[in-house]
Amino acid sequence: MKLDGFGIFVNDMAAMVRFYRDVLGFEIKDDENAQNVMLEKDGTLFMLYRRTDFEKMTSSRFNYAEKINGHFEVALSVENFAAVDKTFAQVVSKGAKPVMPPTTEPWGQRTCYIADPDGNLIEIGSFVKG
């Protein structure tokens, strides 16, 4: 098997599309009210599925984490430590929920965390000091 991509089951499609497009700069060509939104970021397929539509399609009910949750993270890398700080400030100023400010970890990575509108964690980091 080959990893083809991953999907997030979303509560508010319009808010999530605006966040990934306007705050994080993902290229999204689908409408904010589309049933499913697909995008590709750096060669990885990334999909947003409306929770209610997915439940209807599968004839199933699912449990969802509320608020900021720790079920998974989307990891984004930037070119260096300074870019971690700059990017964190930019995305927070555009409405991202700050979770952890830029910190240099003992393993040599500068990293920070934000959350999207549904509370999913997004890491922004770099291992390059320059």
Side-chain angles (χ1 to χ4, degrees):
M1 286 186 280
K2 175 186 165 201
L3 177 63
D4 190 38
F6 65 96
I8 297 177
F9 300 101
V10 306
N11 188 40
D12 183 340
M13 183 66 78
M16 293 289 276
V17 167
R18 287 190 303 269
F19 177 82
Y20 282 93
R21 181 190 63 214
D22 302 340
V23 175
L24 294 184
F26 284 27
E27 185 175 338
I28 299 175
K29 296 182 180 176
D30 294 308
D31 183 79
E32 291 179 3
N33 295 309
Q35 183 174 1
N36 299 316
V37 173
M38 294 190 192
L39 61 120
E40 189 174 315
K41 180 73 171 163
D42 302 320
T44 300
L45 183 60
F46 183 76
M47 299 158 284
L48 303 176
Y49 298 105
R50 187 176 284 110
R51 292 173 183 176
T52 53
D53 293 338
F54 189 74
E55 287 183 352
K56 184 178 178 182
M57 181 182 81
T58 61
S59 299
S60 300
R61 295 277 304 156
F62 300 99
N63 295 314
Y64 301 100
E66 298 299 325
K67 302 182 181 178
I68 296 176
N69 64 78
H71 288 275
F72 67 89
E73 73 170 40
V74 175
L76 303 173
S77 63
V78 293
E79 56 272 8
N80 56 40
F81 283 19
V84 172
D85 295 32
K86 179 180 177 183
T87 303
F88 179 80
Q90 287 174 339
V91 298
V92 168
S93 75
K94 292 179 179 180
K97 298 174 199 167
V99 174
M100 184 183 93
T103 305
T104 302
E105 300 293 351
W107 53 85
Q109 180 188 29
R110 185 141 180 93
T111 189
C112 61
Y113 283 89
I114 58 170
D116 70 19
D118 276 354
N120 300 302
L121 292 175
I122 300 163
E123 177 186 27
I124 300 166
S126 180
F127 285 94
V128 180
K129 288 183 183 181

